[in-house]
């Protein structure tokens, strides 16, 4: 099955390349291979949405983009959701999506280790603080640890992180603060094309998370989830 899926993906990439006359990037080839098992499992429609949540749950959507994940979680569980999207254009789309839903709170800043300003490279849903492009805009980052203290949030039933390389610094700060046990589920997409020491930092974080959480699924550098031990 995996072999068939790989063949389909690479054939698709081949024809895209032929039609667009654009060379296929080696990183794109690698990511296509990594994603094949995830797509085969229909992970976006199953694993990413199947949690023990209800109308009393609290969800953090860190890297909210246009609000699609928050929409799906809201429709399924009617949970209270905090969406963090630092890019104004995406934030405005998400804000309009939930304008009539008082349980979804959308913020025009990202979450990180500290309160700071930063420049992000704009590349649609791959926009990154570590991007190499020249199309940049200034964004605001607020401390995760300060935010949950200020809003008196003691339990987060699901924290989803898709922040294009900034997940390392954020998770390292959460581990250091001791707030890891406030997160019942950590759904994270690690990225290795944006920083040089990604693999080592990912392994270090996985080691730390294993002290308090259990890995429930893992598709390396695609998506994985850590569930708090009882």
């Amino acid at each position: 099955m995996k072999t068939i899926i790989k063949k389909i993906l690479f054939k698709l990439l081949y024809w895209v390349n032929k039609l667009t006359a654009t060379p296929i990037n080696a990183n794109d080839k690698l990511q296509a291979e990594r994603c094949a098992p995830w797509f085969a499992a229909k992970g976006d429609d199953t694993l990413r949405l199947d949690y023990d949540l209800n109308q009393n749950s609290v969800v953090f959507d860190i890297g909210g983009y246009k609000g699609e994940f928050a929409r799906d979680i809201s429709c399924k569980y009617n949970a209270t959701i905090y969406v963090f999207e630092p890019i104004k254009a995406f934030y405005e789309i998400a804000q309009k999506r939930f304008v009539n839903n008082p349980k979804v709170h959308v913020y025009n800043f990202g979450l990180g280790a500290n309160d700071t300003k930063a420049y992000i490279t704009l590349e649609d849903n791959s926009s990154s603080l570590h991007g190499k492009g020249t199309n940049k805009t200034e964004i605001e980052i607020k401390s995760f640890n300060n935010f949950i203290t200020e809003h008196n949030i003691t339990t987060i039933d699901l924290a989803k992180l898709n922040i294009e390389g900034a997940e390392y610094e954020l998770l390292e700060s959460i581990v250091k603060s001791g707030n890891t046990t406030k997160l019942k589920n950590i759904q994270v997409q690690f990225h290795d094309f944006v920083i040089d020491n990604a693999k080592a930092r990912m392994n270090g974080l996985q080691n730390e998370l294993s002290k308090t959480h259990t890995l429930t699924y893992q598709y390396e550098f695609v998506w994985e989830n850590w569930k708090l031990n009882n």
Side-chain angles (χ1 to χ4, degrees):
M1 183 65 177
K2 289 183 178 180
T3 302
I4 294 172
I5 293 170
K6 287 181 182 179
K7 286 181 178 179
I8 293 172
L9 283 168
F10 284 113
K11 193 167 186 178
L12 178 60
L13 284 168
Y14 170 79
W15 282 110
V16 167
N17 179 53
K18 290 284 285 185
L19 292 171
T20 63
T22 302
I24 299 174
N25 185 283
N27 289 341
D28 291 339
K29 287 183 179 180
L30 175 58
Q31 198 61 18
E33 184 174 352
R34 288 170 172 170
C35 289
W38 175 260
F39 291 141
K42 299 181 180 179
D44 288 322
D45 300 317
T46 56
L47 295 172
R48 292 195 63 208
L49 302 178
D50 291 341
Y51 289 89
D52 184 18
L53 304 176
N54 56 48
Q55 63 183 3
N56 298 316
S57 300
V58 173
V59 176
F60 271 31
D61 185 357
I62 305 173
Y65 190 45
K66 299 176 182 178
E68 292 94 336
F69 178 76
R71 173 201 62 202
D72 293 344
I73 291 293
S74 178
C75 289
K76 187 169 184 176
Y77 301 106
N78 191 30
T80 296
I81 306 174
Y82 296 81
V83 181
F84 304 91
E85 177 47 59
I87 297 175
K88 188 175 182 181
F90 302 151
Y91 156 77
E92 289 177 347
I93 292 171
Q95 185 185 46
K96 289 178 182 178
R97 187 189 295 273
F98 301 112
V99 67
N100 294 317
N101 188 339
K103 297 193 73 174
V104 181
H105 313 279
V106 186
Y107 298 91
N108 189 202
F109 54 80
L111 291 182
N114 303 291
D115 293 340
T116 188
K117 302 279 189 179
Y119 282 92
I120 190 169
T121 301
L122 298 176
E123 297 179 25
D124 196 50
N125 63 350
S126 297
S127 299
S128 174
L129 293 173
H130 302 279
K132 307 299 183 183
T134 57
N135 185 19
K136 295 179 180 288
T137 189
E138 188 176 44
I139 61 168
E140 184 176 10
I141 305 293
K142 288 187 177 293
S143 162
F144 170 91
N145 298 311
N146 289 346
F147 182 89
I148 63 172
T149 298
E150 292 166 2
H151 290 78
N152 196 30
I153 297 173
T154 57
T155 300
I156 300 170
D157 296 281
L158 170 61
K160 164 246 164 182
L161 286 74
N162 185 8
I163 46 180
E164 304 298 322
E167 64 274 4
Y168 299 102
E169 184 178 9
L170 173 55
L171 284 173
E172 287 162 356
S173 72
I174 294 173
V175 168
K176 185 177 180 179
S177 70
N179 282 326
T180 315
T181 55
K182 295 180 180 179
L183 281 63
K184 288 188 176 180
N185 283 280
I186 302 170
Q187 179 189 122
V188 56
Q189 184 173 90
F190 286 110
H191 298 79
D192 65 337
F193 298 140
V194 289
I195 61 175
D196 295 333
N197 57 343
K199 181 75 171 181
R201 291 179 76 177
M202 180 182 73
N203 290 341
L205 281 165
Q206 290 168 337
N207 181 61
E208 289 297 325
L209 290 174
S210 69
K211 298 174 182 177
T212 53
H213 292 65
T214 298
L215 186 66
T216 59
Y217 63 80
Q218 182 183 55
Y219 294 75
E220 190 172 75
F221 290 115
V222 181
W223 284 106
E224 61 189 68
N225 187 81
W226 294 83
K227 182 179 180 180
L228 184 66
N229 297 329
N230 294 326

